[in-house]
Each structure stands twice: as structure tokens, then as C-alpha cells.
Amino acid sequence: MNVSPQEHQRVADAIARAEEKTQAEIVVVLAQSSSTYADYWLGAAALLALATPLPLIWFTLLSAQRIYLAELLLFLAFVAAFLYLPLRVRLAPKGERLARARRAANDQFVVRSVSRTRGRIGVLLYVSAAERCALVLPDVAIADRIPHAAWREAIDRLCAAAARGALIEGCVAAVEACGAALAAEFPRAPGDGDEDERPNELHVI
């Protein structure tokens, strides 16, 4: 996934602007995919290859050696085809894709230390391009005061922009929506410090 320095800066600036109005910390992660789906694509390649010998035995006079070679070559061809990430993703059911995106988001919540903020007021915006999925994971203090439905606007704005092929624009819009929701419940007071507990940047994985 190619994200230019200018696009990185656009998201970083959006985070900085949003955090000027709230005590909360916003962390943004953009993932190319939430999983390799190796179990699906290797399994599919194996099943397709295993199905090859039967019609060859029934309808041809090929030797066992040639049938085995055909099976092997087809397995390698299927594996090569499944190296194309969008095809691998499509092999997985929609519910499984969402489940893997949630697991990956939870992992990033830990890796990016979102919960290690004063007052537990960090929030993760996780975007998985291959799964076409966006998730908002608030820390406990935020979850206690802001209902999950409040993040719907952020996700809707991101998905609408992504559908137009403007994923970075969508990330910026989602950050702005998250910032507005956070500022309403966790406004920045005049005496609050300006130190960022988490870097204002787009994490691309």
C-alpha cells in the first residue's frame, strides 16, 4: 500500500487539530489486510488439486505418473493465483473477514499502547483496506461515557470517501468526526498541557 508523505502529513495534521479540542488521544492505523488468509487459500488450492485426478482417470488414458504431475502442476497454479490478495480475501466469508479485522484491531490497540494514557482516554481508529472495514476502539473511560453508536458517523464518512477511492480523505474525515465526539465529552480545559502522549501520525502496516 503506497501512502505518500503528503498523505501521512494530512492525517497527522487532522489528528493534531482534533486533539487541540479534547484531552483524548487518537491513534490511526491503516492496514493493507487484517490477515494473510493462508488457511483459506492453501486449503482451496489443495481441494481443487485433489479434485483433479478423478475426471482424468474417468475420461482420459493418462498414466498415473502424468495424472500425478497434472495434480501437482494445478496445485502450484492455484497457489500462484491465490498470491493475489483480493482473491484470497474473497475466499473467506464476510463474517470471518470482520472477525479477523476485529482481532487485528485489538492487537493494534495493544501494540500502539492506546490504553496507556492518563485517565484511559485513548481511542484507536483502525482501517483495513482489503476487508473494506473500519473500526473504532475506545478505551474504558471513553466507552463508559460515549456510546458505540456515536462512532457511526466517523465510520460512515470514512466508508463513503473510500468508496470514491479517497481513502486518506476518509481517514481525515473520520478523525474529525471522532475528535468532535471526544471534544463533547472530554473537552480540553485551558489549564491542560499540550504534550501528546501518543504521536500524531498515520501508522501504515
Side-chain angles (χ1 to χ4, degrees), residues 112-200:
R112 304 298 169 187
S113 301
V114 179
S115 63
R116 295 182 181 179
T117 60
R118 291 187 299 270
R120 302 292 297 271
I121 51 173
V123 62
L124 172 72
L125 172 62
Y126 177 84
V127 183
S128 188
E131 287 79 8
R132 300 183 180 182
C133 174
L135 299 166
V136 177
L137 275 65
D139 205 352
V140 290
I142 295 175
D144 287 343
R145 292 173 56 179
I146 301 179
H148 183 73
W151 310 114
R152 189 71 253 172
E153 179 185 354
I155 293 174
D156 287 346
R157 292 175 67 178
L158 194 155
C159 291
R164 301 193 305 270
L167 184 57
I168 297 302
E169 178 184 327
C171 288
V172 170
V175 167
E176 292 171 348
C178 288
L182 291 166
E185 289 293 332
F186 300 92
R188 181 178 289 277
D192 291 336
D194 295 328
E195 180 182 355
D196 276 323
E197 295 184 71
R198 295 293 171 268
N200 297 336

